[in-house]
Amino acid sequence: MTSLSDIRSTFLDYFKRQGHEVVSSSPLVPRNDPTLMFTNSGMVQFKNRFTGVEAGDYQRATTSQKCVRAGGKHNDLDNVGYTARHHTFFEMLGNFSFGDYFKKEAVPFAWELLTKDFGIDKSKLLTTVYHTDDEAFELWKKIGVPEDRIIRIATDDNFWRMGPTGPCGPCTEIFYDHGDHIWGGPPGSADEDGDRFIEIWNVVFMQNEQFEDGTMKPLDMQSIDTGMGLERIGALLQGGHDNYETDLFKALIEASAHATSTDPFGDQNVHHRVIADHLRSTSFLIAEGVLPSNEGRGYVLRRIMRRAMRHAHLLGAQDPVMHKLVPALVQQMGAAYPELGQGQTLIEDTFLNEEIRFKTTLDRGLKLLDDALVDVDEGADLPGETAFKLYDTYGFPLDLTQDALREKGHGVDVDGFDAAMAEQKAKARAAWSGTGAAADAAIWFDLADRHGVTEFLGYETETAEGQL
Ligand code: ATP
Ligand code: MG
Ligand code: MG
Ligand code: MG
């Protein structure tokens, strides 16, 4: 069986032979972009190369990039456990041209690697192009893709932008048809979200620049940016369609089953998938020094950790579990990512602390949620106030509550949640005014806003004890 590490090397070696510099993955916390929560694609570390702000020694590069999509523009958190192809953490393989080669080289590179080096059956592949991109259409046709398997797409799925302004351009995506025993329709169809046709590779042709006044001009420097999910191509080359059935995920799922004395498959499998996925993203973030907190990146980390803990709870775990799975992850990925082994103790301790901290309120909060659901009609939303109470008193991130409710066919009244949050902030501010300590209060509320109300112990114990 071709392992994920073999696939990673085959990819990088192929592009090295085509004159690309093999560049290491950049960190998940972007060094050059404060507006971005986490690195979510291979191009992030090269932004300044694409805009021409920075020059470099090489004009072609290839990477295997650590990515997290659990917040901001790309958020796949809600897909985990529901699709065969989404993770919060994944590795993106990519090749890049900075004003060097363009479409007529990039398309054959992708095709040759997939069909020769990886030996993928051509008749199972189909491609999409942006509806006006005749050049890309012709290139696929010339390479031998039948016309009815080159789909023109008019949406932004096939038009990429770096931001509201700056470089942009059409993309072409390569899909694999896993067969009609799996639900899903071809790209552009109503059922495209199914897992039958899986997007494996996305190739962006940066050819325009978008300006603030809405106009777009051709770029002097035309570039290529591509991304292929290692876990997706891995599933395919290992003979399956499901990322969670690759060698690496099987090992993590087995570790999760072992630690909870449960069956790795059957009904419990979905919980193991979530746990295995969340174990990866959270461990990689902690290894880079992100720690759980109530704001920013730390809060995204906490949300993912707590979600994983709820799924461990659903498996019947009484004691902390997540920290026990870290060695399996280090064993699977430590060779490619030494930071995991170096950070192992920190990762385990962080998990254990967070698990202990959250355990009691998790149990109580879930009970409150069950009780509250008795009064909610089938398919109706949970009142925002209840979701807010779970957040404020029990430390339930909103998306954890949503995740718990989704299985039962309910949503949350998010407007109601926001209103309850705003009301509480206003009340707390009012209670402080007039005490003569306005300056202190201003500082304090600023902290409370940034760190979240649950970090304010006086407040937390007051509400918590009232309820518990
Ligand atoms: P999808 O439509 O399946 O959500 P995407 O179009 O959002 O994928 P891109 O932004 O084009 O994905 O990213 C490039 C490649 O990275 C994809 O073709 C896919 O192989 C992989 N990829 C994207 N998101 C994920 C994810 N959440 N988990 C695993 N692999 C991913
Ligand atoms: Mg996506
Ligand atoms: Mg897509
Ligand atoms: Mg895509």
Side-chain angles (χ1 to χ4, degrees), residues 69 74 76 85-88 90 92 173 199-202 227-229 231-232 243:
R69 292 193 173 183
H74 287 288
D76 286 332
R85 66 184 200 280
H86 288 106
H87 303 295
T88 51
F90 64 100
M92 194 186 282
E173 297 187 319
E199 177 189 329
I200 48 176
W201 205 343
N202 194 118
M228 170 158 69
E231 299 78 0
R232 291 192 191 179
N243 290 14

Side-chain angles (χ1 to χ4, degrees), residues 280-347:
R280 293 210 311 169
S281 49
T282 52
S283 299
F284 271 94
L285 289 173
I286 298 166
E288 280 192 21
V290 180
L291 293 175
S293 79
N294 281 342
E295 62 157 359
R297 297 189 171 105
Y299 192 57
V300 176
L301 170 66
R302 169 163 283 164
R303 282 164 46 203
I304 310 174
M305 291 176 93
R306 293 191 168 183
R307 254 173 115 118
M309 289 170 206
R310 189 184 73 85
H311 285 273
H313 173 99
L314 290 174
L315 289 169
Q318 294 301 319
D319 299 319
V321 166
M322 296 304 291
H323 71 110
K324 292 188 193 155
L325 308 179
V326 180
L329 178 66
V330 175
Q331 197 187 3
Q332 290 298 315
M333 302 191 73
Y337 295 99
E339 66 266 37
L340 283 180
Q342 284 152 11
Q344 184 166 347
T345 314
L346 175 69
I347 301 168

Side-chain angles (χ1 to χ4, degrees), residues 165-176:
T165 59
C168 57
C171 359
T172 185
E173 297 187 319
I174 306 171
F175 285 74
Y176 185 88

